[in-house]
Amino acid sequence: MLGLMMHSPLTVGKLLDHGFRVFPQKEIITILPDKTRHQYTYTDLYKRSKKLVYSLIQKLHIKKGDNIGTFAWNHYQHMELYFGIPGAGAVCHTINIRLSAAQTEFIVNNAEDRFIFIDATLVSFFEPIAALLPTVEGYIILNAPASFTSSLPNWIHYEDLIKDAPDNLDWVEMEEDEACAMCYTSGTTGLPKGVLYSHRSCCLHALVVSLPNNAAISSYSRILAIVPQFHVLAWGLPFAGVMAGAVMVLPSSNMQPEALVKMIIDEKINLAGGVPTIGQGIYAVLKTLNPPNLPLKDFLIGGATAPPTLIDNFQKEFNVRLIHAWGMTETSPVGTLSKLQPEHESLSDGEKIRIRSLQGQEALFIDIRIITENGQSAPRDGFTVGEIEIRGPWVINAYYKSTSRENFSEDGWFKTGDVGHINPEGYLQITDRAKDLIKSGGEWISSVALEVTIMAHPQVKEASVIAIPDPIWTERPLAIIVLKEPGTSLPIEEIKSFLASSFAKYQIPDEFVFVENIPKTSVGKFDKKEMRRLYAEGKL
Ligand code: ADP
């Protein structure tokens, strides 16, 4: 028997309706590429998003389900696109601005984007490939100076597009399972694949991420969204922030750690989110400035393993709580999040950091299981390792335009390709990506465990470990290290003895290379595919 409640689809337009009605004067602040500060209110965001809806439908003849690309930094117009495009019934396809031209061409053609909203500063990237994108009818240029000109076909200024439009149109009526946004995986392990989010998945994800046990987002939050809007919808922060009435601060292209620290201080940011490399950069700047009364309280960190030393240093030196979270483009992204529970309060500081360094407990509505090499579901004992499988209302059910079931179990769980274990308290620990594990003499070695331990050495800034072929052992670990002080040296015997207290002899790398920079992916993670290529070509 069905319940007798109203059918009221969960749509992202409703998140902004609520933000506008309840928090009409809340601010959205953008530090524009030229470093000027733009500020407006939720009311402005609401009205301009409505103008965009009208313009998309009436001027660009967008129909329900059309894909519309965005190629932009984090800023207020990108927020308008997050609400206006789905509000017109279309799909907001955020394109990663840091991919290669060939990958971008593949992504746009695969998505069959009809229009692309693009930052004026990024136009030169698209000009050479525009002729290869037959589905794109035109480009809408964001933040362009009056003198702007381009060889792109059919371009117009964003402000001209929405200028005369009425601001009181209703959002297009949608069912909650209809698509509202799309991101492609960043292709760390292969060709980018399309992940199509629904209105419902975005709303539920925003709600759960905001819960007190998770990021605790409320009308008291002042959020710096460092994680790019072109990467997994900025971890859902724009939706969660607007729903909760948070002040949103958007850095556009000002992604240098010095600039971000200035924003944290000037804008009294109490919650930020970014990948570990960003966290490392911010920490280094805070060390030199040592600002009094730092407003920052919580920093969501994920996308790659956050080194325990970083979690510890932020806590001890700046009283900032790094909240370690795990997820993927395919999981919207939040799957797990690590916070202490009341019963942990009496533990030692070291023990608390150890728990907070795990990837954490399942978010509400998310189920995780570990499938061992022999296909069994592993007990939650804290050591039985296997592939992590996940299911939930914001987890992918199929890749865009793909019929392949390769990444799904027979009973419908998504196979993440990550490897780890879960302890009896329900905390997940990722020990590696399946593709990055090192199989040496029939034993598995975790590259992540080696990396975080090497990075705990006081002279080491960054470390990454990859598998290299070995005629005897099949594979051996190779450690690639960046030292904090250029021109200094670290004897290999010293690192080996540093590792000896935590690792068995066979797990310790025989080879170490010192480099100035570790190659990073488009979203700032260690690029192991690139390092393996460099090694194979003898360039490491
Ligand atoms: P890509 O797959 O291209 O790197 P994603 O951003 O979707 O793009 O990356 C998801 C992957 O990042 C996960 O499968 C996992 O390997 C890694 N990851 C994300 N968060 C964490 C974390 N907290 N700790 C360790 N690895 C993480």
Short mmCIF file of all heavy atoms in Angstrom, two decimals, residues 42 69 113 156 210 235 262 267 270 274 284 291 310 324-325 383 387 437 441 456 462 495 500 509 535:
data_model
loop_
_atom_site.label_atom_id
_atom_site.label_comp_id
_atom_site.label_asym_id
_atom_site.label_seq_id
_atom_site.Cartn_x
_atom_site.Cartn_y
_atom_site.Cartn_z
N TYR A 42 21.98 36.10 -2.05
CA TYR A 42 21.20 34.97 -2.55
C TYR A 42 20.06 35.47 -3.45
O TYR A 42 19.67 34.80 -4.39
CB TYR A 42 20.58 34.21 -1.38
CG TYR A 42 21.46 33.18 -0.71
CD1 TYR A 42 22.84 33.27 -0.72
CD2 TYR A 42 20.88 32.09 -0.06
CE1 TYR A 42 23.63 32.30 -0.10
CE2 TYR A 42 21.65 31.12 0.56
CZ TYR A 42 23.02 31.24 0.55
OH TYR A 42 23.78 30.27 1.16
N GLY A 69 27.61 22.65 -21.60
CA GLY A 69 28.92 22.60 -20.95
C GLY A 69 29.24 23.88 -20.18
O GLY A 69 28.77 24.97 -20.52
N ASP A 113 27.47 18.29 -26.12
CA ASP A 113 27.08 19.58 -25.55
C ASP A 113 26.57 20.52 -26.64
O ASP A 113 27.18 20.62 -27.71
CB ASP A 113 28.30 20.24 -24.87
CG ASP A 113 28.72 19.49 -23.62
OD1 ASP A 113 27.84 18.96 -22.92
OD2 ASP A 113 29.94 19.43 -23.34
N ILE A 156 28.75 34.94 -27.61
CA ILE A 156 28.15 36.17 -27.07
C ILE A 156 28.54 36.31 -25.60
O ILE A 156 28.92 35.34 -24.94
CB ILE A 156 26.61 36.22 -27.20
CG1 ILE A 156 25.93 35.19 -26.29
CG2 ILE A 156 26.13 36.00 -28.60
CD1 ILE A 156 24.44 35.51 -26.12
N SER A 210 25.59 17.93 4.81
CA SER A 210 25.42 19.05 5.76
C SER A 210 25.16 18.61 7.19
O SER A 210 25.22 19.42 8.10
CB SER A 210 24.23 19.91 5.33
OG SER A 210 24.37 20.28 4.02
N TRP A 235 32.40 19.01 -4.85
CA TRP A 235 32.00 18.12 -3.75
C TRP A 235 30.60 18.45 -3.24
O TRP A 235 30.28 18.21 -2.07
CB TRP A 235 33.00 18.18 -2.59
CG TRP A 235 34.38 17.70 -2.91
CD1 TRP A 235 34.78 17.06 -4.05
CD2 TRP A 235 35.56 17.80 -2.10
NE1 TRP A 235 36.13 16.77 -3.99
CE2 TRP A 235 36.64 17.21 -2.80
CE3 TRP A 235 35.82 18.33 -0.83
CZ2 TRP A 235 37.93 17.14 -2.30
CZ3 TRP A 235 37.10 18.25 -0.32
CH2 TRP A 235 38.15 17.67 -1.05
N LYS A 262 44.82 34.36 2.48
CA LYS A 262 44.30 35.74 2.61
C LYS A 262 42.76 35.72 2.64
O LYS A 262 42.13 36.41 3.45
CB LYS A 262 44.82 36.59 1.44
CG LYS A 262 44.39 38.05 1.51
CD LYS A 262 45.17 38.87 0.49
CE LYS A 262 44.72 40.30 0.31
NZ LYS A 262 43.67 40.86 1.09
N GLU A 267 37.87 36.91 4.84
CA GLU A 267 36.44 36.58 4.75
C GLU A 267 35.97 35.77 5.95
O GLU A 267 34.86 35.24 5.93
CB GLU A 267 36.14 35.84 3.44
CG GLU A 267 36.60 36.54 2.17
CD GLU A 267 35.89 37.87 1.92
OE1 GLU A 267 34.88 38.15 2.59
OE2 GLU A 267 36.38 38.64 1.06
N ASN A 270 35.18 29.74 8.07
CA ASN A 270 35.28 28.71 9.12
C ASN A 270 35.24 27.28 8.58
O ASN A 270 35.47 26.34 9.31
CB ASN A 270 34.24 28.92 10.23
CG ASN A 270 32.83 29.03 9.69
OD1 ASN A 270 32.54 28.57 8.58
ND2 ASN A 270 31.95 29.64 10.47
N GLY A 274 39.35 20.98 0.20
CA GLY A 274 40.30 20.83 -0.89
C GLY A 274 41.09 19.53 -0.77
O GLY A 274 40.97 18.81 0.23
N ALA A 284 51.82 25.36 4.74
CA ALA A 284 53.14 25.99 4.62
C ALA A 284 53.03 27.51 4.76
O ALA A 284 53.86 28.15 5.41
CB ALA A 284 53.78 25.61 3.28
N PRO A 291 49.14 33.45 11.67
CA PRO A 291 48.16 34.51 11.96
C PRO A 291 47.46 34.29 13.30
O PRO A 291 47.11 33.15 13.62
CB PRO A 291 47.16 34.37 10.81
CG PRO A 291 47.30 32.97 10.34
CD PRO A 291 48.69 32.53 10.62
N LEU A 310 49.92 15.75 8.46
CA LEU A 310 49.25 17.02 8.11
C LEU A 310 48.04 17.23 9.04
O LEU A 310 47.81 18.34 9.54
CB LEU A 310 48.80 16.97 6.64
CG LEU A 310 48.31 18.27 6.05
CD1 LEU A 310 49.46 19.28 5.92
CD2 LEU A 310 47.66 18.06 4.69
N HIS A 324 38.82 14.14 7.20
CA HIS A 324 39.24 13.29 6.09
C HIS A 324 38.00 12.59 5.50
O HIS A 324 37.24 11.97 6.23
CB HIS A 324 40.24 12.26 6.63
CG HIS A 324 41.01 11.55 5.57
ND1 HIS A 324 41.72 10.41 5.81
CD2 HIS A 324 41.20 11.84 4.27
CE1 HIS A 324 42.31 10.01 4.69
NE2 HIS A 324 42.00 10.86 3.74
N ALA A 325 37.81 12.74 4.20
CA ALA A 325 36.65 12.13 3.55
C ALA A 325 37.11 11.36 2.32
O ALA A 325 38.13 11.69 1.72
CB ALA A 325 35.64 13.20 3.14
N PHE A 383 41.36 -5.64 9.36
CA PHE A 383 42.55 -6.04 8.59
C PHE A 383 42.28 -6.85 7.33
O PHE A 383 43.09 -6.88 6.44
CB PHE A 383 43.61 -6.74 9.48
CG PHE A 383 43.11 -7.97 10.16
CD1 PHE A 383 43.14 -9.20 9.52
CD2 PHE A 383 42.60 -7.91 11.45
CE1 PHE A 383 42.69 -10.34 10.15
CE2 PHE A 383 42.14 -9.05 12.09
CZ PHE A 383 42.18 -10.27 11.44
N GLU A 387 38.48 -5.45 -2.38
CA GLU A 387 38.01 -4.29 -3.15
C GLU A 387 36.77 -3.70 -2.49
O GLU A 387 35.87 -4.42 -2.04
CB GLU A 387 37.68 -4.70 -4.59
CG GLU A 387 37.20 -3.48 -5.39
CD GLU A 387 37.02 -3.71 -6.88
OE1 GLU A 387 37.22 -4.84 -7.35
OE2 GLU A 387 36.68 -2.72 -7.56
N LEU A 437 48.49 -0.91 -6.38
CA LEU A 437 49.08 -1.88 -5.45
C LEU A 437 50.33 -2.48 -6.09
O LEU A 437 50.39 -2.64 -7.30
CB LEU A 437 48.10 -3.01 -5.17
CG LEU A 437 47.15 -2.86 -4.00
CD1 LEU A 437 46.17 -4.03 -4.02
CD2 LEU A 437 47.90 -2.85 -2.68
N GLY A 441 56.89 -10.56 -5.19
CA GLY A 441 57.10 -11.93 -4.72
C GLY A 441 55.83 -12.54 -4.17
O GLY A 441 55.86 -13.24 -3.16
N ALA A 456 56.17 11.55 6.48
CA ALA A 456 56.29 11.94 7.89
C ALA A 456 57.74 12.29 8.24
O ALA A 456 58.02 12.84 9.31
CB ALA A 456 55.79 10.81 8.78
N GLU A 462 57.07 15.89 -0.34
CA GLU A 462 56.09 15.02 -0.99
C GLU A 462 56.76 13.69 -1.35
O GLU A 462 57.96 13.67 -1.64
CB GLU A 462 55.59 15.64 -2.30
CG GLU A 462 54.69 16.82 -2.10
CD GLU A 462 54.24 17.46 -3.41
OE1 GLU A 462 54.89 17.24 -4.46
OE2 GLU A 462 53.25 18.17 -3.37
N ILE A 495 66.50 6.94 5.01
CA ILE A 495 65.06 6.70 4.77
C ILE A 495 64.72 5.25 5.05
O ILE A 495 63.70 4.93 5.64
CB ILE A 495 64.63 6.98 3.31
CG1 ILE A 495 65.26 8.24 2.76
CG2 ILE A 495 63.11 7.08 3.21
CD1 ILE A 495 64.81 8.52 1.34
N ALA A 500 62.04 1.25 8.49
CA ALA A 500 62.19 -0.10 9.05
C ALA A 500 61.31 -0.35 10.27
O ALA A 500 60.91 -1.48 10.52
CB ALA A 500 63.65 -0.36 9.39
N PRO A 509 61.24 0.06 -0.27
CA PRO A 509 61.79 0.19 -1.63
C PRO A 509 63.31 0.04 -1.64
O PRO A 509 63.98 0.39 -0.67
CB PRO A 509 61.40 1.62 -2.02
CG PRO A 509 60.29 2.01 -1.10
CD PRO A 509 60.50 1.24 0.16
N TYR A 535 58.98 6.53 -16.01
CA TYR A 535 59.93 5.49 -15.62
C TYR A 535 60.20 4.57 -16.82
O TYR A 535 61.34 4.25 -17.13
CB TYR A 535 59.39 4.68 -14.43
CG TYR A 535 60.36 3.60 -14.03
CD1 TYR A 535 61.45 3.90 -13.22
CD2 TYR A 535 60.23 2.30 -14.52
CE1 TYR A 535 62.38 2.92 -12.89
CE2 TYR A 535 61.15 1.33 -14.19
CZ TYR A 535 62.22 1.64 -13.38
OH TYR A 535 63.14 0.67 -13.07
#
